[in-house]
Amino acid sequence: MKFIFNSAGAIARGSSHLKSGKPCQDNFYSASKKKTIVIALGDGAGSCSQSEIGSELCTKYITEFLLINFNEIYNKDKKEIAKVLVSQLQEELNLKAEELKISIKDLSSTLLFVAVKNNKFIAGHIGDGLIGTFHENGAKVFSRPENGEHGNETFFISQKIALNHFRVYKGNLKSIKGFILMSDGSYDNLYNKKTNKLTQANLSFFTWLADSNNSKGEVELALKKTLEDKFTKKTSDDCSVVLLSTEHIEGYMDKVIKNVVNFFSKSTRFKIF
Amino acid sequence: MNNLIISDEELADNPTARVPICILLDVSRSMDGEPIKELNKGVKMFIDEIIKDDMTRFSADISILTFGGIVKHVFDFGRIEEQEVPEFRATSTTPMAEAVLQALNLLEGRKQSYKQNGVDYFQPWIVLMTDGGPTDDIDVINEATSKTRELINKKKLALFSIGIGNHADMGFLETFGAPPIKLKGLKFSEFFQWLSQSVSTVSDSMPGDKIQLPPREGWDALS
């Protein structure tokens, strides 16, 4: 069996950041190597001075780390995975904070990621934003935002309590054909809070990506245009999305084996009594 | 390139996150004259400012209780444009603690309504304005002060206690759990202008934002 992966993402700077001169604090990163692909998205905390550096560092680091260590991490249990990843990320943040002579709090960011190798995946989520999955029959919420009770509260990878709020998922893809990561600015547009469902726009984005007639560049341009023209009209926050599609293609020998199995299961001569 | 466009119908139309605010106004006998006149002016101006501002019109969720003899619920949560702010008249005693308890119940009920309808909300506020001290029974006072202190400690409530004039019991107001502020003269309009700007600041805030409310120079006696 052969797996083909595609990814695309986009970011739009929020009007409140444009007004205040603050940089965009959302970041995303994706990379692939042989049979593995990773996508990651981070949203820097509003008033933390260098949180855009924090979100960039976290997304790049988790992507590179899982590209190299997918098998080793996948074989651990979820609690252990969380411990290892939180500790690695916080160590990187601390080193960066030392280099910049700031506190780790100034690099506060949420983090969402999905790593896929062949038909296995590892996903993680701390803070707000949302992870969705795509199936034959539509899009589903996979990991919900974790906010405090109030609209401007959430959790960040830099916090001492991060491990208590770092959610890890792993398993086989089964019916999953793709993933979407979105920051809270985007989720205001892509998720209906009353019905708790993802909107049609998620499927449209996925269709763009899965359609081989569209180049990655075209898809990313269209995503960015959508974020800038539509999403930022409804929220003053930064908006970002990143998508991953997985397609598996049966090789010649897979088809042969399938045909043989089908033949023997249908034939009455070979029933075992 | 294929037609890579989505329509507005494909997007969610989620309600704006709310800032629920209960304003408690002392309309006891001692507020008669200039104080109640300025208070009336200030509250009307506040509601007008909230309606005029694109951000606060959809986010501010305001309820007003008066306490003078009895506690009256004179303005309810919901669509501000569809309600009228009544004219306040000074009368009778100061059931301040009872007003605070009713405000806490109203805010809790409003939060439940938000949760049922998928509406996000910011930390609720109580704004308490008084020129004296409470005339409630001691049990009611203790219940009100202990409940507010607990909520403030858990960061589930923000309380602004404003003392008006020379007879406001600032020592008592402190027992609610937040440092009280003395109003400069009868600068009600300046206070309510600050309040509408503060609501705008909160409703524009994002996760991780350290909320910096506007300076209080125009109305804080100590600024």
Side-chain angles (χ1 to χ4, degrees):
Chain A
M1 191 149 325
K2 190 178 164 190
F3 288 88
I4 295 181
F5 304 125
N6 280 315
S7 70
I11 300 179
R13 192 167 161 211
S15 60
S16 70
H17 289 183
L18 283 164
K19 216 171 22 176
S20 63
K22 244 196 266 190
C24 180
Q25 292 168 320
D26 281 11
N27 268 291
F28 76 88
Y29 198 69
S30 67
S32 61
K33 189 168 121 169
K34 291 184 185 173
K35 297 176 188 173
T36 313
I37 185 166
V38 187
I39 56 171
L41 185 149
D43 181 356
S47 57
C48 293
S49 63
Q50 317 259 26
S51 64
E52 72 282 1
I53 296 178
S55 62
E56 187 185 7
L57 186 153
C58 287
T59 50
K60 272 196 175 141
Y61 184 82
I62 196 74
T63 301
E64 305 289 350
F65 184 82
L66 287 173
L67 266 185
I68 298 166
N69 300 295
F70 185 97
N71 288 339
E72 189 194 328
I73 295 296
Y74 187 84
N75 291 332
K76 294 181 188 303
D77 69 44
K78 289 193 270 194
K79 257 189 174 154
E80 194 51 38
I81 294 175
K83 247 179 161 165
V84 166
L85 296 184
V86 169
S87 142
Q88 296 279 59
L89 285 160
Q90 287 186 342
E91 195 180 316
E92 289 300 306
L93 287 170
N94 274 316
L95 286 170
K96 185 52 101 176
E98 257 177 61
E99 177 196 321
L100 298 174
K101 295 187 177 31
I102 56 178
S103 99
I104 188 177
K105 191 169 184 278
D106 294 320
L107 299 170
S108 294
S109 173
T110 66
L111 181 63
L112 304 83
F113 64 86
V114 175
V116 177
K117 182 169 184 173
N118 292 325
N119 66 338
K120 293 187 166 66
F121 75 89
I122 305 166
H125 188 180
I126 179 168
D128 56 19
L130 184 146
I131 303 178
T133 50
F134 297 101
H135 307 259
E136 275 300 337
N137 56 0
K140 290 184 186 167
V141 175
F142 181 76
S143 182
R144 293 183 189 283
E146 191 186 3
N147 289 95
E149 182 184 350
H150 307 129
N152 50 2
E153 296 169 357
T154 191
F155 302 97
F156 303 108
I157 191 70
S158 51
Q159 291 174 296
K160 287 194 172 93
I161 54 168
L163 189 56
N164 299 342
H165 298 278
F166 193 88
R167 292 161 280 162
V168 169
Y169 312 87
K170 66 170 192 171
N172 286 326
L173 288 175
K174 289 185 191 162
S175 65
I176 298 174
K177 299 197 170 309
F179 294 87
I180 181 168
L181 312 179
M182 61 187 82
S183 64
D184 65 331
S186 294
Y187 132 108
D188 275 343
N189 287 275
L190 293 173
Y191 175 73
N192 186 311
K193 291 175 191 176
K194 192 161 186 192
T195 61
N196 293 318
K197 291 198 164 101
L198 291 171
T199 65
Q200 181 62 34
N202 290 272
L203 282 167
S204 296
F205 288 167
F206 184 68
T207 306
W208 297 353
L209 179 66
D211 185 347
S212 54
N213 291 318
N214 299 324
S215 71
K216 179 172 170 141
E218 284 167 346
V219 174
E220 291 197 326
L221 196 59
L223 286 172
K224 190 170 172 67
K225 199 165 178 344
T226 306
L227 265 50
E228 284 173 349
D229 292 352
K230 292 194 184 288
F231 286 25
T232 54
K233 300 262 182 300
K234 291 191 178 192
T235 174
S236 58
D237 198 2
D238 298 330
C239 299
S240 52
V241 290
V242 57
L243 293 103
L244 162 64
S245 74
T246 66
E247 191 190 339
H248 66 266
I249 296 177
E250 286 177 340
Y252 174 73
M253 281 312 296
D254 297 307
K255 286 184 183 150
V256 167
I257 292 166
K258 208 185 201 173
N259 287 336
V260 167
V261 168
N262 279 342
F263 173 76
F264 280 107
S265 65
K266 281 174 188 161
S267 169
T268 55
R269 285 181 63 197
F270 295 99
K271 275 209 171 107
I272 296 169
F273 292 98
Chain B
M1 184 170 117
N2 292 330
N3 194 18
L4 305 183
I5 298 174
I6 56 167
S7 66
D8 289 342
E9 285 71 37
E10 295 181 66
L11 299 175
D13 190 15
N14 289 310
T16 312
R18 302 288 202 267
V19 186
I21 307 169
C22 245
I23 302 177
L24 311 182
L25 303 174
D26 186 340
V27 296
S28 61
R29 199 175 294 122
S30 51
M31 286 285 288
D32 198 19
E34 276 306 297
I36 202 89
K37 201 169 132 197
E38 290 301 313
L39 179 64
N40 275 312
K41 219 168 75 181
V43 171
K44 286 200 165 71
M45 189 215 70
F46 171 66
I47 298 295
D48 286 343
E49 291 287 310
I50 292 290
I51 293 171
K52 264 190 331 212
D53 184 316
D54 280 339
M55 176 70 72
T56 55
R57 185 154 41 113
F58 298 107
S59 59
D61 200 7
I62 297 165
S63 179
I64 303 177
L65 298 167
T66 58
F67 52 99
I70 54 169
V71 177
K72 257 190 185 172
H73 189 188
V74 298
F75 197 90
D76 203 5
F77 293 119
R79 292 187 64 85
I80 299 177
E81 299 100 317
E82 289 168 12
Q83 298 181 74
E84 233 181 84
V85 183
E87 193 82 7
F88 307 126
R89 287 197 175 82
T91 180
S92 199
T93 54
T94 317
M96 190 192 307
E98 178 59 39
V100 168
L101 287 173
Q102 280 198 31
L104 292 175
N105 283 339
L106 284 171
L107 286 169
E108 188 55 39
R110 196 62 177 162
K111 279 170 23 178
Q112 292 313 315
S113 168
Y114 293 150
K115 286 173 188 169
Q116 280 159 17
N117 290 286
V119 178
D120 292 335
Y121 57 91
F122 295 95
Q123 187 187 46
W125 291 10
I126 286 180
V127 177
L128 168 61
M129 305 190 78
T130 180
D131 72 339
T135 55
D136 309 83
D137 284 343
I138 190 67
D139 291 340
V140 178
I141 291 172
N142 288 339
E143 190 185 350
T145 53
S146 69
K147 276 186 173 168
T148 54
R149 276 199 305 272
E150 187 185 345
L151 289 169
I152 289 169
N153 287 339
K154 289 179 177 172
K155 298 195 187 331
K156 288 178 177 285
L157 177 73
L159 175 70
F160 301 91
S161 307
I162 315 295
I164 305 162
N166 294 328
H167 302 290
D169 190 343
M170 304 299 277
F172 171 72
L173 289 177
E174 200 156 351
T175 64
F176 282 116
I181 307 164
K182 189 87 181 285
L183 187 71
K184 194 187 275 181
L186 295 178
K187 299 277 186 189
F188 286 99
S189 296
E190 286 79 356
F191 166 73
F192 281 109
Q193 193 160 42
W194 173 88
L195 189 62
S196 71
Q197 287 165 357
S198 299
V199 173
S200 187
T201 301
V202 167
S203 51
D204 203 21
S205 66
M206 310 293 169
D209 274 353
K210 207 172 189 171
I211 296 178
Q212 199 106 351
L213 296 182
R216 309 194 302 226
E217 278 133 11
W219 59 272
D220 181 348
L222 293 179
S223 285

